[in-house]
């Protein structure tokens, strides 16, 4: 029995708190090794990525800056074009940027954000994603640092939401089929 207990909308725990913790520690160690001596900026897209970001930064033993963007889809369900509702606060020109994302699904959102970030002239730009659902990929996204490749299931918890809820679950769980169908 997971703690807190699995919400009724969930089918099963896909990734436990312990599994996530171990992997996030490894990712932090890798980033620490690879970005030593760089002007490191972690950029996260609100809001799904913040739980992952909060744990990840505490596993990175380097000076770094955090910045945030927020986007909203222009037309829900028809990805590709997103509207920026909150832009970066700091200039990233010449810095080493790691874009931290919760999940790469079709890849359209990240692909668009990468284009925007590239236009600011960073020295380097890499993606660190907790989850990759590559069977649904439309836009090719290079993921330099990946937590877990997962099957094509809608998941919630650890920052990921279902209509705004369940972001605070400490584990990642799959939704029941009937909940998915009624969405
Ligand atoms: P895409 O890669 O452009 O299709 O969209 C990725 C975004 O869709 C993520 O940042 C999430 O906000 C959302 N998303 C995709 N899959 C899931 C999921 O399984 N659970 C919760 N949100 C998801
Ligand atoms: Mg998101």
């Amino acid at each position: 029995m997971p703690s807190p207990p699995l919400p009724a909308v969930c089918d099963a725990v896909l990734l436990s708190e312990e599994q996530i913790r171990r992997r996030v520690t490894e990712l932090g160690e890798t980033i620490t090794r690879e970005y030593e001596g760089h002007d490191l900026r972690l950029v996260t897209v609100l809001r799904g990525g913040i739980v992952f970001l909060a744990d990840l930064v505490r596993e990175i033993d380097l000076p770094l800056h955090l910045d945030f963007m927020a986007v909203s889809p222009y037309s829900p369900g028809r990805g590709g074009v997103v509207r920026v509702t909150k832009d970066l606060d700091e200039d990233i020109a010449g810095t080493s940027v790691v874009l931290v994302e919760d999940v790469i699904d079709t890849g359209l959102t990240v692909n668009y954000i990468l284009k925007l970030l590239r236009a600011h002239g960073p020295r380097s730009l890499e993606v660190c994603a907790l989850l990759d659902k590559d069977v649904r990929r439309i836009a090719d996204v290079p993921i330099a640092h990946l937590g877990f490749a997962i099957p094509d299931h809608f998941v919630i918890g650890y920052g990921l939401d279902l209509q705004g809820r369940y972001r605070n679950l400490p584990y990642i769980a799959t939704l029941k089929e009937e909940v998915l169908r009624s969405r």
Side-chain angles (χ1 to χ4, degrees):
M1 184 73 154
S3 169
L6 210 55
V9 293
C10 290
D11 190 27
V13 172
L14 181 68
L15 296 165
S16 71
E17 220 179 322
E18 185 51 37
Q19 278 174 294
I20 298 170
R21 191 179 2 241
R22 271 204 303 269
R23 191 69 191 113
V24 171
T25 300
E26 289 170 359
L27 290 171
E29 287 168 355
T30 307
I31 291 173
T32 301
R33 268 198 314 277
E34 294 188 5
Y35 284 91
E36 166 113 61
H38 288 238
D39 184 358
L40 177 59
R41 309 295 168 108
L42 300 198
V43 172
T44 301
V45 183
L46 299 173
R47 286 165 273 183
I50 61 159
V51 176
F52 175 39
L53 175 79
D55 284 345
L56 180 67
V57 288
R58 285 175 288 177
E59 303 294 340
I60 300 176
D61 187 15
L62 294 174
L64 56 81
H65 287 229
L66 301 182
D67 211 337
F68 298 91
M69 289 181 71
V71 296
S72 69
Y74 264 120
S75 40
R78 297 180 53 228
V81 190
V82 296
R83 188 166 58 90
V84 175
T85 56
K86 188 214 164 295
D87 209 342
L88 296 176
D89 288 315
E90 291 180 13
D91 185 12
I92 57 165
T95 70
S96 300
V97 176
V98 175
L99 177 62
V100 177
E101 260 285 16
D102 50 359
V103 53
I104 317 283
D105 189 16
T106 63
L108 293 171
T109 312
V110 173
N111 197 41
Y112 188 79
I113 288 164
L114 284 174
K115 263 187 228 152
L116 294 179
L117 292 176
R118 232 173 259 129
H120 289 284
R123 171 181 168 183
S124 66
L125 178 59
E126 283 192 327
V127 175
C128 175
L130 180 66
L131 306 175
D132 178 14
K133 291 201 245 180
D134 69 342
V135 285
R136 284 173 43 92
R137 193 64 36 82
I138 296 171
D140 191 31
V141 175
I143 306 176
H145 304 283
L146 174 66
F148 304 92
I150 63 165
D152 180 21
H153 264 302
F154 194 87
V155 292
I156 57 172
Y158 201 72
L160 295 148
D161 70 305
L162 171 67
Q163 287 147 12
R165 286 187 65 192
Y166 307 110
R167 294 191 198 273
N168 54 328
L169 288 176
Y171 45 79
I172 290 173
T174 51
L175 274 197
K176 283 180 181 152
E177 279 298 326
E178 62 261 35
V179 177
L180 269 182
R181 280 196 300 270
S182 65
R183 249 181 359 123

